[in-house]
Every structure is written in structure tokens, then in C-alpha cells.
């Protein structure tokens, strides 16, 4: 089975600072990769996804992620944090067949005014 | 909006009682999933379905069963609820041109407490 590792269960940044959330995956076959965001008491929303093509993927709310096959990583970044970015973020990867999705344990982002 | 409705949204029950959670979609997507979310574990797949009467187990399927008699409905049943099944349950559908390589859209979740 695939596995996803998110380094840091809690990350705090100051408003306006760079956001970097780390995600590494284990896979013998390049999978499809996703970042989801979850606000309190809500379901998960897609931030961005990588399937094929350009390895730098842009998503909603100014987030982007870069697929690095050699490092089996898909880190999420945002140049300048906003208070509204405070949420839980999940990295996910598909199985080789594409019919299952595996999630990391999540990173809770706190933005300090 | 992928048109996913989960019911009930909140439920408190006692150990040993059966519980059924319902996921309803308004579009005819083939793949539907049930996940549970627990602190420190992220989301873990319980069961998924790839069509009417076609289901398969996920990584934490013990104690759960599912049924899909219609495309739009995917039911998750706890035959005899235990306290370890206290969790938030999310239904999701896979949306994409090929049906299995698209992203997941999630329902709002069902919070289950087993006393």
C-alpha cells in the first residue's frame, strides 16, 4: 500500500511569512498527488493536484506545490500567510490503479498575527 | 459542489447497537468512499464502491459493512458499535473524466459517538 508522511503535525507561521508544509510519499509508480484543506467542522476541500505534466502546480488561495520525483516529495508552499489560511492540511496520493486514495496524518497550520 | 449529503450529521449511540450512516450523491459518479477521521491518524479508508453492488475493503474495514444498491446511495453499517468506532465519518466521491483518476469531493461528515 502507498504511504504518505507529513512532517510536522503542527506548524506555526507569522502572518505574511512563508508557509511550507512537507509531504513525502512512498510509491514505486508515480502516483497522482493532492493537497486538501479542512476548516473546522467541515469536510475536506481540494487545494491542488498533480497528475501529469508540469511539476509545479498552482492551486487556490495562492498555494502551490512542486512534485519532485527524485525526492518523492510534494511540498505545499504559499509565499505570504494570511489569517484565513489557518486550517488542517492533508496530503494524499492515489494507489497505482488510481482507485484508492491514501492520506497523510495532517498538518495543523496556525497563523500568528 | 458535487452534491454529497451525509446523514445523520451527528449521532450518539450505545455500545452494541447497530448504526447506519448514509451517503447520497446527486450525480452519477461511479466511485464512492467511506473514510474515518481520528486525531493523529488523518483519514483512513474503510470501504469503497466502484459501482452498484461492487464494493471493496479499505485499510480499516473490520467492524464495518457497506452496501450500494443504487448508484446514488452508499451506506455504511456498524453492526455492533464499539467505543473505538467513535469518530468522524466522511463520505467522498471521485470526480474525473475517467472516474478513477479524478480528485475526491467530500461530504460534510457524520460525527458518531459510541458510549
Amino acid at each position: 500500500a502507498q504511504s504518505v508522511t507529513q512532517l510536522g503535525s503542527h506548524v506555526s507561521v507569522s502572518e505574511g511569512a512563508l508557509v511550507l508544509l512537507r509531504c513525502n510519499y512512498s510509491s514505486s509508480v508515480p502516483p497522482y498527488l493532492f493537497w486538501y484543506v479542512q476548516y473546522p467542522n467541515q469536510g475536506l476541500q481540494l487545494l491542488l493536484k498533480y497528475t501529469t505534466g508540469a511539476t509545479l502546480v498552482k492551486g487556490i488561495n495562492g498555494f502551490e506545490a512542486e512534485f519532485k520525483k527524485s525526492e518523492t516529495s510534494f511540498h505545499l508552499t504559499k509565499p505570504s500567510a494570511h489569517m484565513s489560511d489557518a486550517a488542517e492540511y492533508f496530503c494524499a496520493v492515489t494507489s497505482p490503479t488510481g482507485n484508492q486514495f491514501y492520506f497523510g496524518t495532517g498538518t495543523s497550520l496556525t497563523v500568528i498575527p | 459542489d458535487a452534491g454529497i449529503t451525509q446523514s445523520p450529521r451527528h449521532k450518539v449511540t450505545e455500545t452494541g447497537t447497530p448504526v447506519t450512516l448514509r451517503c447520497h450523491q446527486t450525480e452519477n459518479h461511479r466511485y464512492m468512499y467511506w473514510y474515518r477521521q481520528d486525531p493523529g491518524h488523518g483519514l483512513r479508508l474503510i470501504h469503497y464502491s466502484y459501482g452498484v453492488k461492487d464494493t471493496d475493503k479499505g485499510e480499516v474495514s473490520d467492524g464495518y459493512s457497506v452496501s450500494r444498491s443504487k448508484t446514488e446511495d452508499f451506506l455504511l453499517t456498524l453492526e455492533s458499535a464499539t467505543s473505538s468506532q467513535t469518530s468522524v465519518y466522511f463520505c467522498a466521491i471521485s470526480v474525473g473524466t475517467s472516474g478513477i483518476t479524478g480528485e475526491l469531493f467530500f461530504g460534510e461528515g457524520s460525527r458518531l459517538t459510541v458510549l
Side-chain angles (χ1 to χ4, degrees), chain A residues 32 36 38 49 98-99 101, chain B residues 33 35 37 100-101 103-104:
Chain A
Y32 296 145
Y36 284 85
Q38 184 182 33
K49 66 177 179 180
N99 60 357
F101 295 74
Chain B
Y33 304 79
Y35 286 87
Q37 182 178 24
I100 62 172
T101 54
E103 63 261 31
L104 292 179

Side-chain angles (χ1 to χ4, degrees), chain B residues 74-85:
Chain B
F74 190 32
L75 304 180
L76 176 70
T77 298
L78 292 66
E79 300 291 346
S80 178
T82 68
S83 58
S84 65
Q85 294 175 311

Side-chain angles (χ1 to χ4, degrees), chain A residues 95-107:
Chain A
S95 60
T97 55
N99 60 357
Q100 295 192 44
F101 295 74
Y102 298 94
F103 285 82
T105 53
T107 297

